[in-house]
C-alpha cells in the first residue's frame, strides 16, 4: 500500500505550522480600510493627531504612527475586535459613514488577516468643518 505525500508529512502543506499576526498588522489594515471610506476626514482625536504630527518629525520615533492612530484592536488566534475613533467631514451622514467604515474594516481584516471580526466599535470624536484648518498643518502665508 502506498502512502500519499500529504499523509507521510502530516497533512496538507498549508496546515503545517502556525501563522501569528501581530496586533499592529491588524491595526494598520483597519486604519487603512477606515480611511478609504468617503466622509472620513481622519482617525484619532485632534490631540492625538497633533501629537502624532510632532512625533513623526522626530527621527527614530517609530514608524506607522499615522496608520495606527485612532485604532485599537484585540486580536486572538481566530477573532479580532476593533475600536476606531474617527473625524468625519461636515455634511455627511454620520450613521452612513459609520456603517460603511464598519463594512470596509470587517471585509479587509477578514480577507487579509483571516480573523473573524466580532465587533467594530466606532466613536465619532469630531466633525471637520469646511473652513477649519487641520491641527498640525502649517499655515501658508501668501501676501
Amino acid at each position: 500500500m502506498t502512502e500519499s505525500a500529504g499523509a507521510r508529512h502530516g497533512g496538507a502543506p498549508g496546515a503545517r505550522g502556525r501563522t501569528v499576526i501581530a496586533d499592529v498588522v491588524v491595526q494598520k489594515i483597519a486604519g487603512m480600510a477606515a480611511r478609504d471610506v468617503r466622509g472620513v476626514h481622519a482617525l484619532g482625536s485632534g490631540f492625538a493627531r497633533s501629537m502624532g504630527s510632532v512625533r513623526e518629525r522626530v527621527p527614530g520615533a517609530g514608524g506607522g504612527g499615522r496608520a495606527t492612530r485612532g485604532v485599537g484592536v484585540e486580536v486572538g488566534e481566530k477573532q479580532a475586535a476593533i475600536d476606531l475613533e474617527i473625524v468625519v467631514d461636515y455634511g455627511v451622514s454620520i450613521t452612513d459613514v459609520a456603517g460603511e467604515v464598519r463594512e470596509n474594516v470587517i471585509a479587509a481584516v477578514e480577507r487579509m488577516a483571516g480573523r473573524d471580526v466580532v465587533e467594530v466599535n466606532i466613536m465619532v470624536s469630531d466633525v471637520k468643518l469646511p473652513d477649519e484648518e487641520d491641527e498640525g498643518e502649517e499655515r501658508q502665508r501668501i501676501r
Side-chain angles (χ1 to χ4, degrees):
M1 181 186 284
T2 54
E3 295 179 342
S4 70
R8 187 174 49 222
H9 295 289
R16 294 184 217 156
R18 196 173 90 144
T19 302
V20 178
I21 299 173
D23 290 5
V24 70
V25 173
V26 176
Q27 277 183 297
K28 287 181 178 182
I29 293 168
M32 292 303 295
R35 280 183 188 83
D36 283 346
V37 174
R38 186 171 181 207
V40 174
H41 177 74
L43 270 64
S45 66
F47 179 74
R49 290 193 318 272
S50 63
M51 291 307 295
S53 68
V54 170
R55 203 171 30 251
E56 288 169 1
R57 293 182 187 135
V58 176
R66 183 169 186 261
T68 60
R69 189 178 314 134
V71 183
V73 299
E74 291 181 38
V75 182
E77 287 186 27
K78 296 182 181 190
Q79 298 178 326
I82 300 162
D83 297 319
L84 299 169
E85 183 177 355
I86 68 173
V87 176
V88 297
D89 291 322
Y90 177 80
V92 300
S93 167
I94 293 173
T95 55
D96 289 349
V97 169
E100 288 179 44
V101 166
R102 192 170 281 113
E103 288 176 17
N104 212 31
V105 167
I106 290 169
V109 171
E110 288 184 348
R111 179 177 47 82
M112 293 179 69
R115 299 298 186 266
D116 290 326
V117 178
V118 294
E119 65 181 10
V120 176
N121 300 310
I122 300 172
M123 182 178 94
V124 179
S125 62
D126 202 357
V127 173
K128 169 69 170 69
L129 301 176
D131 60 344
E132 279 183 333
E133 191 175 305
D134 280 334
E135 292 184 33
E137 274 187 10
E138 296 179 20
R139 292 184 181 166
Q140 292 182 345
R141 297 183 183 176
I142 301 174
R143 293 184 186 205

